[in-house]
């Protein structure tokens, strides 16, 4: 395989090298998907483990600290609405350009994506630093943990500037099929987060015991390290077909920016709908009480771990679908979709087992407070009913975005988050008073609705003709 790689055109990526000569059979397609998925799976799993470890480290400090960390999660993601437009558009342009063997177009897309991401990251960090506290107060943070949440939010706001850059680099590498490189700086950032976090939260060696402040500093340091490493990979990796040119990095190219935004605007709107809906949904849960909200955050951390498997397969489809459409092979792109769905089903079956068999054990990793444990167990059992739907819709959505079709993922989010989680959630949680169980059954309806919409689009086949 190495000899074959060296003989191909310079502008082709490693993943494209494996599938270009012939139409791959099903076995080869599965290998292609898994080859691109496993680095993303490791990257995302480690990131989730960081969330789990961080939550486990701060949980002994009390449910107020857990609630403080949890309530900052959604507001800090609001600015990523803008970033999503740039990164999704950049990913699609890179994948399509490399499929067409147009390396110059891929490099230009990389440069403009980085420019937009840096500018939006700085703006987002400043705004969230100044107004993040007001947002979490509006969301319903109570006096027993508001000051903690406000402090944590400020450190997260600064860290988001570095995170924007890292995510932009990661999206470009996914479009080029270089998921292993993306894994490297993500792993480094998360390892730093764990080590510094443990040292500062509890006090290790010369470091003082800082509690939640230590966790806040650790995530900031981790994001800074990840940003530096990501930029090093992007600018100094050998034979990287999307390597930006320093002298062009801050020169805007209007036509490319328009193309990036045209593809990514639907994804930005999708994220906006998602954030607004989830924030309102979070308000419903906060009003249930501190114990319920702490349980919701802990179960949500475990839920992210489950969803990551869909995101890993999705990352593979972004590259495989985009490049095959660029090579004018839509029938091959569709077959990659089909094989990815099969892999998604297998993953969901494996993940459901611990959710049903050991929910109490999973809950006790984070807390010994019995009122919190009971609610976590309820949420995890409901999670097991929609794990497959979530992994499937994430997988298919990624493939559609890789081909530049970002409108239907938006439709699916409107159907699921706004109607099922936000509107139905009001009745289940507020009116009917079904507690945390009512909130998570709304999550089940959300995922079923989104899966139905996105699968309908895939089967319709119009994504094959989307222009980028």
């Amino acid at each position: 395989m190495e000899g074959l790689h060296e003989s191909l055109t310079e502008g082709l990526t490693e993943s494209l090298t494996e599938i270009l000569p012939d139409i791959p059979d099903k076995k080869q397609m599965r290998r292609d998907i898994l080859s691109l998925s496993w680095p993303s799976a490791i990257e995302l799993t480690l990131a989730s483990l960081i969330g789990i470890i961080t939550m486990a480290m701060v949980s002994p400090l009390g449910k107020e600290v857990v609630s403080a960390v949890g309530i900052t999660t959604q507001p800090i993601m609001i600015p990523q609405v803008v970033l999503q437009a740039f990164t999704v558009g950049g990913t699609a342009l890179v994948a399509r350009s490399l499929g067409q063997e147009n390396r110059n177009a891929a490099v230009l897309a990389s440069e403009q994506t980085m420019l937009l991401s840096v500018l939006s990251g700085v703006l987002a960090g400043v705004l969230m630093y100044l107004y993040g506290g007001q947002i979490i107060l509006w969301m319903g943070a109570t006096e027993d943990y508001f000051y903690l949440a406000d402090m944590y939010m400020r450190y997260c706001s600064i860290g988001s500037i570095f995170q924007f850059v890292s995510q932009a680099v990661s999206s470009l590498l996914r479009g080029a099929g270089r998921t292993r490189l993306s894994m490297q700086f993500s792993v480094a950032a998360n390892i730093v987060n764990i080590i510094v976090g443990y040292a500062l939260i509890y006090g290790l060696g010369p470091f003082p015991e800082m509690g939640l402040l230590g966790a806040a500093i650790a995530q900031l340091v981790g994001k800074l390290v990840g940003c530096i490493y990501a930029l090093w990979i992007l600018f100094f990796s050998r034979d990287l077909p999307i390597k930006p040119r320093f002298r062009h990095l801050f020169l805007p190219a209007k036509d490319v920016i328009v193309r990036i935004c045209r593809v990514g605007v639907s994804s930005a709107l999708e994220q906006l709908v998602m954030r607004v809906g989830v924030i309102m949904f979070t308000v419903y849960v906060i009003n249930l009480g501190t114990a319920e909200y702490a349980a919701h955050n802990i179960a949500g951390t475990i839920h992210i771990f489950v969803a990551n498997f869909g995101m890993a397969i999705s990352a593979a489809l972004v590259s495989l679908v985009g490049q095959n459409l660029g090579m004018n092979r839509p029938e091959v792109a569709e077959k990659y979709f089909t094989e990815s769905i099969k892999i998604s089903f297998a993953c969901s079956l494996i993940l459901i087992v611990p959710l049903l068999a050991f929910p109490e054990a999973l809950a006790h990793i984070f807390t010994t407070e019995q009122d919190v444990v009971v609610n976590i167990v309820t949420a995890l059992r409901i999670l097991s009913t929609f794990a497959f739907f979530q992994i499937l819709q994430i997988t298919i959505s990624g493939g559609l975005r890789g081909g530049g079709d970002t409108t239907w993922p938006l439709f699916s989010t409107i159907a699921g988050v706004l109607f099922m989680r936000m509107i139905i959630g009001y009745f289940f949680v507020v009116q009917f008073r079904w507690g945390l169980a009512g909130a998570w059954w709304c999550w089940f309806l959300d995922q079923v609705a989104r899966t139905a919409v996105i699968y309908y689009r895939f089967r319709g086949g119009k994504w094959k003709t989307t222009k980028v």
Side-chain angles (χ1 to χ4, degrees):
M1 187 60 69
E2 291 297 325
L4 177 60
H5 171 66
E6 293 174 1
S7 67
L8 293 177
T9 308
E10 182 182 9
L12 299 181
T13 63
E14 292 175 346
S15 61
L16 189 55
T17 303
E18 297 177 357
I19 65 174
L20 178 60
D22 301 298
I23 301 297
D25 57 19
K26 292 183 179 180
K27 185 176 180 179
Q28 180 62 48
M29 285 185 175
R30 287 192 289 270
R31 282 200 297 263
D32 293 337
I33 294 167
L34 294 175
S35 176
L36 291 178
S37 294
W38 75 259
S40 295
I42 292 176
E43 175 186 348
L44 294 167
T45 299
L46 182 58
S48 294
L49 286 174
I50 296 304
I52 291 173
I53 292 170
T54 300
M55 192 67 74
M57 286 193 296
V58 301
S59 291
L61 303 177
K63 55 191 173 188
E64 292 80 11
V65 174
V66 173
S67 297
V69 173
I71 201 171
T72 62
T73 302
Q74 295 305 324
I76 203 64
M77 294 179 71
I78 293 176
Q80 296 196 22
V81 168
V82 178
L83 179 66
Q84 188 80 0
F86 305 146
T87 56
V88 170
T91 300
L93 260 66
V94 164
R96 188 69 65 91
S97 298
L98 292 177
Q100 296 168 343
E101 302 184 44
N102 189 344
R103 180 166 180 164
N104 288 334
V107 169
L108 190 55
S110 174
E111 293 166 350
Q112 298 305 300
T113 300
M114 291 304 301
L115 170 61
L116 295 170
S117 299
V118 169
L119 294 177
S120 61
V122 172
L123 178 61
V126 171
L127 291 177
M128 292 306 296
Y129 185 89
L130 295 175
Y131 302 109
Q134 298 179 28
I135 295 175
I136 58 177
L137 187 62
W138 171 84
M139 289 178 64
T142 56
E143 293 182 0
D144 55 345
Y145 64 84
F146 169 72
Y147 75 97
L148 293 170
D150 184 47
M151 177 273 295
Y152 194 76
M153 170 68 80
R154 291 180 183 273
Y155 280 88
C156 289
S157 300
I158 299 171
S160 67
I161 298 174
F162 307 118
Q163 188 176 14
F164 267 45
V165 175
S166 300
Q167 289 180 338
V169 175
S170 181
S171 69
L172 295 171
L173 293 173
R174 285 197 302 270
R178 298 296 185 92
T179 53
R180 298 183 190 185
L181 294 177
S182 175
M183 176 187 68
Q184 291 178 19
F185 60 79
S186 178
V187 168
N190 288 319
I191 290 175
V192 169
N193 194 347
I194 290 179
I195 295 174
V196 176
Y198 186 81
L200 296 184
I201 291 173
Y202 298 114
L204 184 65
F207 299 102
E209 182 178 339
M210 303 175 69
L212 183 60
L213 176 59
I217 295 173
Q219 62 82 30
L220 174 58
V221 174
K223 290 174 182 175
L224 175 59
V225 170
C227 175
I228 295 172
Y229 195 173
L231 291 174
W232 177 267
I233 287 175
L234 182 64
F235 285 101
F236 297 105
S237 292
R238 296 180 59 185
D239 194 33
L240 186 64
I242 57 169
K243 186 185 300 184
R245 298 159 295 187
F246 282 106
R247 64 183 183 277
H248 293 161
L249 190 57
F250 292 100
L251 297 177
K254 182 178 178 181
D255 57 332
V256 179
I257 292 176
V258 169
R259 292 180 66 194
I260 289 173
C261 294
R262 185 175 66 238
V263 174
V265 67
S266 294
S267 287
L269 291 175
E270 177 192 352
Q271 287 300 306
L272 178 61
V273 170
M274 173 74 78
R275 294 306 139 217
V276 171
V278 171
I279 286 176
M280 290 302 300
F281 183 72
T282 302
V283 170
Y284 301 157
V285 179
I286 289 174
N287 290 328
L288 293 174
T290 302
E292 288 82 358
Y293 185 52
H296 178 72
N297 286 319
I298 292 172
T301 300
I302 298 172
H303 155 264
I304 293 173
F305 179 82
V306 173
N308 281 344
F309 286 84
M311 295 175 67
I313 304 171
S314 172
L317 274 184
V318 165
S319 178
L320 293 168
V321 170
Q323 292 180 16
N324 275 284
L325 290 179
M327 290 185 283
N328 197 27
R329 302 200 308 189
E331 72 287 348
V332 178
E334 183 171 9
K335 290 178 181 178
Y336 274 114
F337 264 111
T338 302
E339 294 306 313
S340 296
I341 290 172
K342 295 177 183 178
I343 295 174
S344 297
F345 180 70
C347 288
S348 65
L349 289 179
I350 296 171
L351 293 169
I352 286 172
V353 173
L355 296 175
L356 289 175
F358 317 113
E360 292 89 352
L362 293 173
H364 280 291
I365 294 174
F366 301 93
T367 182
T368 57
E369 297 181 71
Q370 192 56 34
D371 54 346
V372 180
V373 169
V374 170
N375 280 287
I376 294 172
V377 170
T378 298
L380 294 183
R381 286 174 174 162
I382 297 173
L383 171 59
S384 69
T385 65
F386 65 81
F388 167 67
F389 295 105
Q390 176 140 43
I391 293 174
L392 179 60
Q393 70 92 358
I394 291 174
T395 296
I396 298 177
S397 295
L400 294 180
R401 293 189 186 99
D405 186 352
T406 56
T407 302
W408 278 76
L410 167 62
F411 293 160
S412 73
T413 301
I414 292 174
V417 176
L418 285 189
F419 285 95
M420 298 302 176
R421 233 197 286 189
M422 187 172 169
I423 297 177
I424 302 299
Y426 173 78
F427 290 98
F428 281 16
V429 180
V430 180
Q431 292 296 321
F432 301 160
R433 300 182 184 276
W434 288 353
L436 192 62
W440 279 71
W441 279 119
C442 286
W443 209 331
F444 166 84
L445 296 176
D446 164 23
Q447 293 303 319
V448 172
R450 291 164 73 178
T451 302
V453 172
I454 214 71
Y455 187 76
Y456 170 82
R457 178 60 171 179
F458 160 64
R459 295 300 300 173
K462 292 185 178 180
W463 52 271
K464 300 175 187 176
T465 57
T466 302
K467 292 184 178 181
V468 175

